[in-house]
Each structure stands twice: as C-alpha cells, then as structure tokens.
Amino acid sequence: MRLGVNVDHIATLRQARLEGLPDPIALAEEALAGGADGIVCHLREDRRHIQDSDVVNLRKLKTRLDLEMAATSEMLKFALKVKPDMVTLVPEKRAELTTEGGLDVVKQTKKLKPVIEKLQKAGILVSLFIEPEPRQVEESAVLTADFIELHTGAYARKPNKTELTRLSMATEKAKWIGLRVNAGHGLDYQNVHNIVQIYGLEELNIGFSIIARSVVVGMKQAVSEMRRAIG
Ligand code: PXP
C-alpha cells in the first residue's frame, strides 16, 4: 500500500500569518524522509491554503505529485503548465471546510470528458474522487479515468461494516472494469487499519491526521508512524 501525504494544512498554518512559515515544501521533504511515497496538494479556487507557487515548487521535488483540483478551465490551464504526475478531480464548494462528498461523475460527464482528455493527452494520469457507488465507478470507467479515489469520509466518521463493504465492493468492481483504485479522506491512525485490508487498493491519501500529529512529534515521525500503521 502506498502512502500519499497531503500537505495542504501546512499551508493553512502558514496562511494564518503570511510569514512564509511553516514551509510546505520543506515539510513535504520531511514527509518523504518519513516514508511517504508521494505528495498530494489541493489548489483551491479561493487559494485558502496551497498557492500556485507551492505547486510549482512541490513539482521540483523528486517524487510523485498528485494535484487535487476542480474541473475548471482555470485549473486545467494551470495543470497543463505544471504537469503533475497525476490530477485528482474533486468537487469544490467555497463554503466547505474540506471536500464534502465525491464528484458526481454521472451528472457531470459532459463537463469532465474534455478535461480528462486534455490532461491525459499531456501525459498526466487522471483520478476521479468519487463515492463508493457502483454507478459512479462505472461512469468513471466510461470516462476512461486511470484511477478512482474512493471517498472514505463516511467510514472515517463512523467506522462500520456497511461502509467498509461499500468500499471493498466498489474497489472490486473498479478493478474488474480496469480502473486503478486509491482511497482517502478522514483517515487517521486508528480507522486506517480496516481500510488497508481492502484488497486491490493501491494508495491512501492522508492529510489532516498526519499534519495534526506532526505538531506533536514532527513530520518525519508522524509519517513513519502512519507508514507503520498501513504496513
Ligand atoms: N483525498 C482527497 C481527494 C481530498 O480532497 C482530501 C482532503 O484534501 C484528502 C484525500 C485527505 O483528507 P484528510 O486531510 O482528511 O486526510
């Protein structure tokens, strides 16, 4: 299981005072030293945490960069310029504290298709952040996404067998129809244990719990503890 570490909330702290500290790039390097397999960041329309220059600088690190973004023409233009290894398309609402719910790919096929095509044509892998629902998985394959990322938020909030089964069935279906599968959102040092048992998942993308832990033990240690938790 690979671990992608999301550094958004390092930037959240920096933006609180605009003093240039803490530096998401330096802490991304610490995360890599602690065992992260790649770095993830979300460039939001309102630039509340990660800034354009952060993405440009993260791209210079010798690691895989997964850029989360909304499927807008502004973000598409930016992604084609920076060329991350992967773009994860996410829904975005201005008022939300964090990404609420998955992308409704069934309803947004027309909007997503040209964005996916342009990114893939530029050699960028495309992942769609979706709820673990059969129709969303099927439509992701129709849209020829390379990956889906299953939204683990409902499970993370209230770990239970029904949600875990939804996640494992969505993974199985996705693999069956040729999609590669990542998962993330709300995962922490405890609730991650059952998620790693889901056969077929390639990568977990984890941000908040690692960043919160890093305040106590430092980034390298926080990532290596998560590394140990996910095996
Ligand atoms: N995956 C996606 C697509 C996300 O939008 C987020 C939140 O930015 C995460 C994973 C990480 O979630 P968390 O910060 O709760 O670990």
Side-chain angles (χ1 to χ4, degrees):
M1 184 74 79
R2 290 198 309 257
L3 171 63
V5 173
N6 182 312
V7 295
D8 291 354
H9 297 302
I10 301 292
T12 302
L13 189 54
R14 179 196 57 197
Q15 295 308 105
R17 290 292 287 265
L18 298 174
E19 303 272 5
L21 284 172
D23 175 16
I25 319 306
L27 283 149
E29 286 186 300
E30 282 292 297
L32 293 168
D37 300 294
I39 297 297
V40 187
C41 68
H42 183 174
L43 185 67
R44 282 183 167 267
E45 186 195 11
D46 63 9
R47 308 299 197 271
R48 69 170 77 154
H49 39 53
I50 292 289
Q51 307 297 302
D52 300 39
S53 57
D54 292 326
V55 186
V56 171
N57 290 326
L58 287 169
R59 185 67 187 118
K60 292 178 190 154
L61 298 179
K62 286 191 175 57
T63 190
R64 279 182 317 107
L65 179 64
D66 174 4
L67 173 64
E68 296 173 0
M69 61 178 220
T72 63
S73 53
E74 183 209 3
M75 288 299 158
L76 175 63
K77 209 168 139 201
F78 179 77
L80 292 174
K81 204 167 70 187
V82 179
K83 292 213 169 102
D85 300 281
M86 180 153 87
V87 160
T88 299
L89 295 173
V90 299
E92 201 173 297
K93 290 189 218 120
R94 271 203 169 234
E96 68 191 357
L97 287 179
T98 181
T99 316
E100 293 166 357
L103 198 59
D104 190 341
V105 296
V106 176
K107 275 203 188 131
Q108 296 186 58
T109 307
K110 253 195 172 149
K111 178 181 162 189
L112 294 171
K113 199 172 180 352
V115 176
I116 294 169
E117 275 173 10
K118 285 181 186 134
L119 290 167
Q120 288 176 330
K121 216 169 149 208
I124 301 168
L125 292 168
V126 177
S127 179
L128 303 175
F129 185 50
I130 59 168
E131 294 293 327
E133 286 168 11
R135 283 194 67 211
Q136 299 293 337
V137 174
E138 283 158 18
E139 196 57 35
S140 299
V142 173
L143 281 166
T144 72
D146 301 285
F147 280 82
I148 52 170
E149 179 178 334
L150 296 175
H151 196 310
T152 51
Y155 177 78
R157 265 192 311 278
K158 199 173 166 217
N160 64 84
K161 200 149 189 272
T162 310
E163 275 306 319
L164 199 58
T165 305
R166 273 179 89 214
L167 288 161
S168 64
M169 285 181 72
T171 304
E172 193 178 310
K173 184 176 189 75
K175 299 291 291 177
W176 178 252
I177 57 183
L179 290 162
R180 299 172 71 183
V181 190
N182 298 330
H185 210 283
L187 297 177
D188 61 28
Y189 295 85
Q190 280 77 45
N191 65 23
V192 78
H193 288 290
N194 285 330
I195 298 292
V196 295
Q197 304 303 326
I198 298 173
Y199 181 75
L201 284 183
E202 287 193 32
E203 177 167 313
L204 299 180
N205 291 326
I206 307 180
F208 190 76
S209 63
I210 293 177
I211 306 304
R213 178 78 181 140
S214 77
V215 175
V216 183
V217 299
M219 187 62 144
K220 191 171 161 190
Q221 174 70 18
V223 172
S224 89
E225 287 176 13
M226 185 60 84
R227 183 75 270 170
R228 242 175 290 133
I230 72 176

